[in-house]
Amino acid sequence: MLERRTQKTKPPQMYQVVMLNDDYTPMEFVVVVLQEFFNKDREAATQIMLKIHLDGKGICGVYTRDVAATKVDQVLDAAHQAGHPLQCVSEPVE
Ligand code: TYC
């Protein structure tokens, strides 16, 4: 019976994409990146950017491993192309 079947699949390990502060990347660039790659509206993007600026780092979103890795690549590519030292990493949640 469907409702008595043992659950065989566990939910995937999730990864948070953490963005790091630096002294050179413009605030506006970070806000645009958060809107473009993390689907934040301007208000939420600005709040996350300011949190990173003040605390040194902040969580941009939580995703499965491959999606998180893609987000990190997109951010690093965009930052490199624009000549900014913006860094971000993906790390397992918990
Ligand atoms: N600290 C940067 C500045 O004052 C802004 C900044 C915010 C940079 C967040 C990176 O992840 C970052 N221009």
Side-chain angles (χ1 to χ4, degrees):
M1 231 182 296
L2 190 60
E3 58 273 23
R4 287 195 191 158
R5 195 188 295 157
T6 309
Q7 192 180 331
K8 293 208 178 92
T9 54
K10 43 187 170 61
Q13 169 74 58
M14 301 301 279
Y15 289 75
Q16 55 195 18
V17 176
V18 177
M19 197 170 282
L20 307 176
N21 188 38
D22 66 71
D23 292 338
Y24 304 102
T25 304
M27 290 183 173
E28 176 62 20
F29 183 83
V30 177
V31 171
V32 169
V33 160
L34 288 164
Q35 290 179 99
E36 204 165 304
F37 300 129
F38 298 93
N39 305 314
K40 305 299 182 189
D41 62 26
R42 193 160 176 89
E43 183 77 23
T46 302
Q47 281 178 17
I48 294 169
M49 181 281 294
L50 284 174
K51 192 225 180 277
I52 302 165
H53 178 71
L54 295 172
D55 293 356
K57 63 181 178 176
I59 298 169
C60 307
V62 176
Y63 308 95
T64 54
R65 189 180 58 181
D66 288 5
V67 174
T70 299
K71 303 276 181 200
V72 170
D73 284 351
Q74 287 173 323
V75 171
L76 297 182
D77 279 359
H80 185 249
Q81 276 193 40
H84 301 312
L86 182 63
Q87 289 297 315
C88 78
V89 296
S90 152
E91 54 187 42
V93 176
E94 277 129 317

